[in-house]
Amino acid sequence: MSKDLRLGVNIDHVATLRNARGTAYPDPVRAALLAQRAGADGITAHLREDRRHIRDADMAALKEALAIPLNFEMAATAEMQKICLATAPHAVCLVPEKREEVTTEGGLDVAADAARLTDYVGALAEAGIRVSMFIGHDPRQIEASAAVGAAVIELHTGHYCDLHYEGRFDARDLELEALRAGAKLAASLGLEVHAGHGLTYETVAPVAAIPQIRELNIGHFLIGEAVFVGLDAALAQMRSHMDAARGRK
Ligand code: PXP
């Protein structure tokens, strides 16, 4: 039976740690297998243009090693499309990418690039890969995602999380309301709804409680927490927050 709210674990930052010393360890594939054993429903990895964390060989090794779905996060470039088609992951999440950013800062502007993205998404979908667009809650972007043929959107929760940690609770609640409206609109258009970016034990519950959301993708916080308690314990704790928010014990 498929779970009504899946937890996808992003293992990029195990590779960040590895690359900081130029060693062969810690191995992101080992982290992915540990997450799989600990009950993750999927693994996400972002192959960035600058290869700052995940590398091409990691993607191939993840695909080879995992029994659970691999979600290939990438920019919508010709280079990445080629690698993605060769890897044949379960899903792809298209994100905007800027060289100078620390992490994915905003959502993809699907509306501004709709003609090109229609072809781009079509080629991936034809290969049997589920395509997700990482976007903000702007209705224009949600409608454009449906129009270009995406099966899924992933709502960017980074701004909501930032507002929470800045203590700007009124603005945070407005942002949450917009995420709820976005999820509702997307589901009404037949899109599957995911969410992610910046989520922690403290911020996950209101997002997990949005009924249309089927999957959360969480990385940086879980990998950081794993340093202290281990990845399996961090995952279990995150899952219990998600289950509680969903009204399950
Ligand atoms: N989803 C997408 C599309 C992302 O770009 C990221 C960050 O790589 C995440 C989820 C996970 O965000 P975080 O690492 O902040 O949990």
Side-chain angles (χ1 to χ4, degrees):
M1 193 185 79
S2 79
K3 288 184 191 142
D4 83 323
L5 182 61
R6 298 185 297 270
L7 173 57
V9 176
N10 178 317
I11 44 79
D12 290 349
H13 296 299
V14 177
T16 302
L17 201 56
R18 175 193 63 191
N19 297 358
R21 286 290 291 271
T23 49
Y25 59 85
D27 178 9
V29 179
R30 185 175 172 197
L33 290 171
L34 191 60
Q36 175 176 275
R37 223 178 313 133
D41 300 301
I43 297 294
T44 295
H46 183 177
L47 186 66
R48 294 187 74 103
E49 186 193 8
D50 62 9
R51 312 300 200 268
R52 70 173 69 156
H53 37 56
I54 294 295
R55 297 173 180 150
D56 303 49
D58 295 324
M59 274 299 185
L62 285 165
K63 166 68 183 173
E64 177 71 24
L66 288 170
I68 55 176
L70 172 63
N71 179 29
F72 191 135
E73 194 182 320
M74 65 188 208
T77 64
E79 182 203 17
M80 287 301 153
Q81 189 180 52
K82 202 167 148 206
I83 299 170
C84 183
L85 288 169
T87 308
H90 169 80
V92 60
C93 183
L94 297 179
V95 300
E97 211 176 276
K98 294 192 216 105
R99 263 183 187 267
E100 63 278 12
E101 70 191 357
V102 174
T103 181
T104 313
E105 282 169 357
L108 198 62
D109 192 347
V110 184
D113 201 12
R116 187 183 76 89
L117 285 172
T118 301
D119 291 343
Y120 197 92
V121 168
L124 294 166
E126 224 167 85
I129 302 168
R130 259 172 104 62
V131 183
S132 171
M133 310 303 252
F134 187 51
I135 56 172
H137 47 61
D138 178 355
R140 272 179 63 243
Q141 301 299 345
I142 296 168
E143 283 157 7
S145 297
V148 301
V152 181
I153 60 159
E154 180 165 328
L155 290 169
H156 195 315
T157 52
H159 189 45
Y160 151 73
C161 293
D162 288 346
L163 291 168
H164 174 83
Y165 282 104
E166 287 162 13
R168 297 165 62 193
F169 298 132
D170 289 347
R172 174 202 63 186
D173 293 346
L174 285 174
E175 180 67 12
L176 256 180
E177 207 38 59
L179 288 167
R180 288 188 193 105
K184 206 167 165 186
L185 171 63
S188 78
L189 296 172
L191 292 159
E192 182 172 310
V193 188
H194 300 174
H197 209 283
L199 293 169
T200 64
Y201 297 153
E202 236 182 84
T203 52
V204 74
V207 178
I210 298 173
Q212 294 85 5
I213 292 181
R214 304 296 314 277
E215 179 175 310
L216 299 181
N217 286 304
I218 309 180
H220 185 254
F221 176 81
L222 282 175
I223 301 304
E225 191 64 10
V227 171
F228 302 106
V229 302
L231 191 54
D232 47 358
L235 246 87
Q237 181 74 7
M238 186 60 81
R239 172 78 72 190
S240 77
H241 284 290
M242 289 163 58
D243 286 349
R246 214 73 171 182
R248 288 189 282 126
K249 288 270 157 37

mmCIF file with all atom_site columns, all heavy atoms in Angstrom, residues 23 46 56 86 132 155 164 200 233:
data_model
loop_
_atom_site.group_PDB
_atom_site.id
_atom_site.type_symbol
_atom_site.label_atom_id
_atom_site.label_alt_id
_atom_site.label_comp_id
_atom_site.label_asym_id
_atom_site.label_entity_id
_atom_site.label_seq_id
_atom_site.pdbx_PDB_ins_code
_atom_site.Cartn_x
_atom_site.Cartn_y
_atom_site.Cartn_z
_atom_site.occupancy
_atom_site.B_iso_or_equiv
_atom_site.pdbx_formal_charge
_atom_site.auth_seq_id
_atom_site.auth_comp_id
_atom_site.auth_asym_id
_atom_site.auth_atom_id
_atom_site.pdbx_PDB_model_num
ATOM 1  N N   . THR A 1 23  ? 38.296 13.308 -0.197  1.00 0.00 ? 23  THR A N   1
ATOM 2  C CA  . THR A 1 23  ? 38.474 11.884 0.115   1.00 0.00 ? 23  THR A CA  1
ATOM 3  C C   . THR A 1 23  ? 37.390 11.069 -0.587  1.00 0.00 ? 23  THR A C   1
ATOM 4  O O   . THR A 1 23  ? 36.525 11.630 -1.262  1.00 0.00 ? 23  THR A O   1
ATOM 5  C CB  . THR A 1 23  ? 38.337 11.667 1.634   1.00 0.00 ? 23  THR A CB  1
ATOM 6  O OG1 . THR A 1 23  ? 37.140 12.333 2.065   1.00 0.00 ? 23  THR A OG1 1
ATOM 7  C CG2 . THR A 1 23  ? 39.525 12.238 2.383   1.00 0.00 ? 23  THR A CG2 1
ATOM 8  N N   . HIS A 1 46  ? 20.906 15.874 -6.059  1.00 0.00 ? 46  HIS A N   1
ATOM 9  C CA  . HIS A 1 46  ? 20.941 16.997 -7.005  1.00 0.00 ? 46  HIS A CA  1
ATOM 10 C C   . HIS A 1 46  ? 22.309 17.022 -7.686  1.00 0.00 ? 46  HIS A C   1
ATOM 11 O O   . HIS A 1 46  ? 23.317 17.291 -7.031  1.00 0.00 ? 46  HIS A O   1
ATOM 12 C CB  . HIS A 1 46  ? 20.696 18.298 -6.213  1.00 0.00 ? 46  HIS A CB  1
ATOM 13 C CG  . HIS A 1 46  ? 20.625 19.533 -7.055  1.00 0.00 ? 46  HIS A CG  1
ATOM 14 N ND1 . HIS A 1 46  ? 20.350 20.774 -6.508  1.00 0.00 ? 46  HIS A ND1 1
ATOM 15 C CD2 . HIS A 1 46  ? 20.778 19.745 -8.388  1.00 0.00 ? 46  HIS A CD2 1
ATOM 16 C CE1 . HIS A 1 46  ? 20.344 21.685 -7.475  1.00 0.00 ? 46  HIS A CE1 1
ATOM 17 N NE2 . HIS A 1 46  ? 20.606 21.094 -8.616  1.00 0.00 ? 46  HIS A NE2 1
ATOM 18 N N   . ASP A 1 56  ? 28.596 12.706 -11.125 1.00 0.00 ? 56  ASP A N   1
ATOM 19 C CA  . ASP A 1 56  ? 27.965 11.808 -12.099 1.00 0.00 ? 56  ASP A CA  1
ATOM 20 C C   . ASP A 1 56  ? 28.028 10.347 -11.633 1.00 0.00 ? 56  ASP A C   1
ATOM 21 O O   . ASP A 1 56  ? 27.041 9.607  -11.717 1.00 0.00 ? 56  ASP A O   1
ATOM 22 C CB  . ASP A 1 56  ? 28.658 11.931 -13.465 1.00 0.00 ? 56  ASP A CB  1
ATOM 23 C CG  . ASP A 1 56  ? 28.640 13.361 -13.992 1.00 0.00 ? 56  ASP A CG  1
ATOM 24 O OD1 . ASP A 1 56  ? 28.992 14.287 -13.226 1.00 0.00 ? 56  ASP A OD1 1
ATOM 25 O OD2 . ASP A 1 56  ? 28.268 13.565 -15.150 1.00 0.00 ? 56  ASP A OD2 1
ATOM 26 N N   . ALA A 1 86  ? 20.187 8.667  -19.410 1.00 0.00 ? 86  ALA A N   1
ATOM 27 C CA  . ALA A 1 86  ? 21.090 7.514  -19.286 1.00 0.00 ? 86  ALA A CA  1
ATOM 28 C C   . ALA A 1 86  ? 20.945 6.840  -17.920 1.00 0.00 ? 86  ALA A C   1
ATOM 29 O O   . ALA A 1 86  ? 21.121 5.626  -17.793 1.00 0.00 ? 86  ALA A O   1
ATOM 30 C CB  . ALA A 1 86  ? 22.529 7.961  -19.509 1.00 0.00 ? 86  ALA A CB  1
ATOM 31 N N   . SER A 1 132 ? 8.765  16.462 -12.138 1.00 0.00 ? 132 SER A N   1
ATOM 32 C CA  . SER A 1 132 ? 8.279  17.405 -11.128 1.00 0.00 ? 132 SER A CA  1
ATOM 33 C C   . SER A 1 132 ? 8.920  18.767 -11.362 1.00 0.00 ? 132 SER A C   1
ATOM 34 O O   . SER A 1 132 ? 10.087 18.849 -11.740 1.00 0.00 ? 132 SER A O   1
ATOM 35 C CB  . SER A 1 132 ? 8.666  16.871 -9.746  1.00 0.00 ? 132 SER A CB  1
ATOM 36 O OG  . SER A 1 132 ? 8.415  17.832 -8.751  1.00 0.00 ? 132 SER A OG  1
ATOM 37 N N   . LEU A 1 155 ? 6.406  22.158 -4.095  1.00 0.00 ? 155 LEU A N   1
ATOM 38 C CA  . LEU A 1 155 ? 6.302  23.533 -3.606  1.00 0.00 ? 155 LEU A CA  1
ATOM 39 C C   . LEU A 1 155 ? 7.509  23.870 -2.742  1.00 0.00 ? 155 LEU A C   1
ATOM 40 O O   . LEU A 1 155 ? 7.894  23.098 -1.852  1.00 0.00 ? 155 LEU A O   1
ATOM 41 C CB  . LEU A 1 155 ? 5.005  23.708 -2.804  1.00 0.00 ? 155 LEU A CB  1
ATOM 42 C CG  . LEU A 1 155 ? 3.714  23.680 -3.624  1.00 0.00 ? 155 LEU A CG  1
ATOM 43 C CD1 . LEU A 1 155 ? 2.495  23.601 -2.686  1.00 0.00 ? 155 LEU A CD1 1
ATOM 44 C CD2 . LEU A 1 155 ? 3.609  24.906 -4.534  1.00 0.00 ? 155 LEU A CD2 1
ATOM 45 N N   . HIS A 1 164 ? 9.873  31.540 9.687   1.00 0.00 ? 164 HIS A N   1
ATOM 46 C CA  . HIS A 1 164 ? 9.716  30.930 11.014  1.00 0.00 ? 164 HIS A CA  1
ATOM 47 C C   . HIS A 1 164 ? 10.938 31.207 11.881  1.00 0.00 ? 164 HIS A C   1
ATOM 48 O O   . HIS A 1 164 ? 10.823 31.661 13.014  1.00 0.00 ? 164 HIS A O   1
ATOM 49 C CB  . HIS A 1 164 ? 9.503  29.416 10.881  1.00 0.00 ? 164 HIS A CB  1
ATOM 50 C CG  . HIS A 1 164 ? 9.472  28.724 12.197  1.00 0.00 ? 164 HIS A CG  1
ATOM 51 N ND1 . HIS A 1 164 ? 8.331  28.650 12.971  1.00 0.00 ? 164 HIS A ND1 1
ATOM 52 C CD2 . HIS A 1 164 ? 10.462 28.117 12.907  1.00 0.00 ? 164 HIS A CD2 1
ATOM 53 C CE1 . HIS A 1 164 ? 8.614  28.009 14.097  1.00 0.00 ? 164 HIS A CE1 1
ATOM 54 N NE2 . HIS A 1 164 ? 9.909  27.666 14.085  1.00 0.00 ? 164 HIS A NE2 1
ATOM 55 N N   . THR A 1 200 ? 12.480 21.257 8.965   1.00 0.00 ? 200 THR A N   1
ATOM 56 C CA  . THR A 1 200 ? 13.099 20.752 10.198  1.00 0.00 ? 200 THR A CA  1
ATOM 57 C C   . THR A 1 200 ? 12.005 20.146 11.085  1.00 0.00 ? 200 THR A C   1
ATOM 58 O O   . THR A 1 200 ? 10.812 20.252 10.766  1.00 0.00 ? 200 THR A O   1
ATOM 59 C CB  . THR A 1 200 ? 13.744 21.918 10.981  1.00 0.00 ? 200 THR A CB  1
ATOM 60 O OG1 . THR A 1 200 ? 12.694 22.819 11.380  1.00 0.00 ? 200 THR A OG1 1
ATOM 61 C CG2 . THR A 1 200 ? 14.763 22.691 10.155  1.00 0.00 ? 200 THR A CG2 1
ATOM 62 N N   . ALA A 1 233 ? 17.805 7.403  13.485  1.00 0.00 ? 233 ALA A N   1
ATOM 63 C CA  . ALA A 1 233 ? 17.051 8.074  14.552  1.00 0.00 ? 233 ALA A CA  1
ATOM 64 C C   . ALA A 1 233 ? 16.487 9.409  14.061  1.00 0.00 ? 233 ALA A C   1
ATOM 65 O O   . ALA A 1 233 ? 15.345 9.773  14.380  1.00 0.00 ? 233 ALA A O   1
ATOM 66 C CB  . ALA A 1 233 ? 17.943 8.294  15.774  1.00 0.00 ? 233 ALA A CB  1
#
